Amino acid sequence: MIKFLMRKTTYRGFDKKLQDLLFDLDRHLIIKFYCSVLCITSTLLIYATIAFFLNTQMQLYTLEVLLYILGLFIVMFKFPNIIFKLPMLLAERIFFLMYTVKGKAISKKDFQIIKQVDEIAYSIISRQKCRGICYAVCFNICQD
């Protein structure tokens, strides 16, 4: 589904081979999309569970939905990191475990050594902050 949507929206000006290549390169965006959907869905499921156990009358659902939306806005403004950054942190971790660790440049053993020797370099690599600053990270790795 996401592949179809990206072909029709983001990659619509490219031919099919280039669309496949771009789709493979944009795996981190796809993971971020799925993590956002997961967080929204889990929030709605929590609400539905609470609403089901609190009452079974249909008339109070409207009030509950309004209170839920109000509570969501309060949480968004009071704790914006939970709503907006949690899916992105989750996506970064999943991408790290699925692709970065299984890469051909740095082995799992090398990641353990980097984590022990230089926590900052490990954090930069694991959170995908090294995109565009590869030379500095590689220099830092080779220096140790």
Side-chain angles (χ1 to χ4, degrees):
M1 181 180 109
I2 186 73
K3 196 171 190 177
F4 175 77
L5 289 174
M6 288 183 78
R7 284 184 193 274
K8 296 297 180 185
T9 58
T10 309
Y11 307 141
R12 67 176 168 221
F14 303 108
D15 63 342
K16 184 150 175 58
K17 279 187 175 183
L18 191 56
Q19 285 179 352
D20 289 336
L21 179 66
L22 290 170
F23 187 76
D24 287 337
L25 292 174
D26 284 342
R27 294 277 182 200
H28 67 283
L29 294 175
I30 296 163
I31 292 172
K32 285 182 182 180
F33 171 77
Y34 281 127
C35 286
S36 298
V37 169
L38 176 74
C39 287
I40 291 169
T41 306
S42 63
T43 304
L44 291 175
L45 285 175
I46 289 170
Y47 163 73
T49 305
I50 291 170
F52 179 75
F53 284 116
L54 285 180
N55 65 355
T56 57
Q57 296 176 357
M58 294 297 286
Q59 300 153 342
L60 294 178
Y61 283 136
T62 314
L63 178 64
E64 288 178 10
V65 168
L66 292 175
L67 289 174
Y68 173 73
I69 292 171
L70 178 68
L72 188 62
F73 279 120
I74 290 171
V75 169
M76 281 174 52
F77 290 114
K78 186 75 173 169
F79 309 104
N81 292 338
I82 293 173
I83 301 295
F84 299 113
K85 292 189 179 180
L86 182 65
M88 298 307 122
L89 291 173
L90 182 64
E92 286 175 355
R93 186 67 182 162
I94 290 171
F95 187 84
F96 175 72
L97 293 174
M98 287 180 66
Y99 295 106
T100 308
V101 172
K102 295 180 181 177
K104 297 178 182 170
I106 303 173
S107 67
K108 289 183 182 182
K109 188 181 244 185
D110 290 336
F111 273 114
Q112 291 173 353
I113 293 169
I114 292 169
K115 188 175 183 178
Q116 291 173 354
V117 173
D118 191 357
E119 189 71 32
I120 296 171
Y122 180 79
S123 175
I124 289 171
I125 295 170
S126 66
R127 292 187 179 171
Q128 301 299 317
K129 303 289 184 194
C130 60
R131 292 181 181 213
I133 57 168
C134 298
Y135 296 115
V137 173
C138 290
F139 179 75
N140 196 5
I141 290 171
C142 292
Q143 201 174 25
D144 294 330

